[in-house]
Amino acid sequence: MIIDGVEMREIRGADAAGLAEVLDRNRAYMAPYEPLRAAGFYTEAGQLERIEALLEDRDGGRVRPYVLIGGGVPIGAINLGSIALGPLCSGGIGYWVDQAWAGKGVATAALEELCRIARDEVGLHRVEAGTRVGNLASQRVLAKVGFEQYGLAPRYLHVGGDWQDHRLFQRLLGDDPPAF
């Protein structure tokens, strides 16, 4: 449990139907922050394909994918991706939460737990995240968990139907030397 009965656990194939449902229901809510998706993305088959790719990347050490479960169904997801070990020891974080659960501390608690995993289990020195310039809610979540803005990336990602500027944030997790 991470907060008020919400569980964060590794994603699995059995989550495909629930993720398809919550993503489809939140399509308009998330549209400004997401890339344009083919219709198949919002189906159980599309989600199963995505999950299988995530699990393959997990097995290769490139990503740690998690689902957030509330009331027995998926209500969001959080991933630690672009994992680079060696002298960089860094990774990127992405997350989303069902609109009905927004503002209840779920994203903040999940992000805090993912930072712990990144430090204690993966051995990372830092994690980073980016938000659209106007995504103040996500910026507040990052700030609560100790992320600091370190830059602005013009036309960084193609989301919401266009290239969007993003604020870049990082959190330093510790100063231990890399484990080679």
Side-chain angles (χ1 to χ4, degrees):
M1 180 167 70
I2 58 168
I3 187 170
D4 294 332
V6 174
E7 174 190 10
M8 178 177 144
R9 63 162 169 75
E10 283 197 2
I11 201 167
R12 50 188 178 229
D15 296 320
L19 283 168
E21 189 280 323
V22 70
L23 285 164
D24 187 51
R25 187 167 26 86
N26 282 271
R27 206 186 291 207
Y29 171 66
M30 292 174 30
Y33 314 107
E34 289 287 311
L36 298 177
R37 309 274 193 191
F41 177 84
Y42 299 96
T43 66
E44 182 176 355
Q47 285 304 300
L48 183 57
E49 183 178 326
R50 187 178 71 83
I51 290 167
E52 288 171 347
L54 283 168
L55 294 176
E56 186 175 314
D57 283 346
R58 179 205 61 197
D59 293 346
R62 295 178 293 276
V63 69
R64 292 280 189 106
Y66 298 91
V67 64
L68 306 174
I69 304 291
V73 298
I75 61 160
I78 188 166
N79 296 317
L80 172 63
S82 302
I83 296 172
L85 300 177
L88 184 57
C89 287
S90 183
I93 292 177
Y95 56 89
W96 62 270
V97 175
D98 182 335
Q99 184 176 15
W101 289 81
K104 297 181 180 184
V106 173
T108 302
L111 185 56
E112 188 65 56
E113 175 61 9
L114 194 62
C115 286
R116 185 202 62 75
I117 291 167
R119 182 190 64 233
D120 298 345
E121 296 179 19
V122 183
L124 298 185
H125 164 68
R126 69 180 286 278
V127 288
E128 64 182 21
T131 72
R132 281 188 59 177
V133 170
N135 189 347
L136 301 180
S138 194
Q139 291 167 25
R140 282 191 297 273
V141 168
L142 292 166
K144 287 179 193 175
V145 181
F147 281 72
E148 296 178 352
Q149 183 177 332
Y150 72 92
L152 177 68
R155 297 179 301 285
Y156 182 66
L157 284 176
H158 197 272
V159 294
D162 202 1
W163 290 103
Q164 303 291 336
D165 297 350
H166 278 64
R167 295 188 190 283
L168 303 177
F169 297 84
Q170 72 175 3
R171 177 175 165 184
L172 299 180
L173 302 172
D175 289 324
D176 292 338
F180 289 99

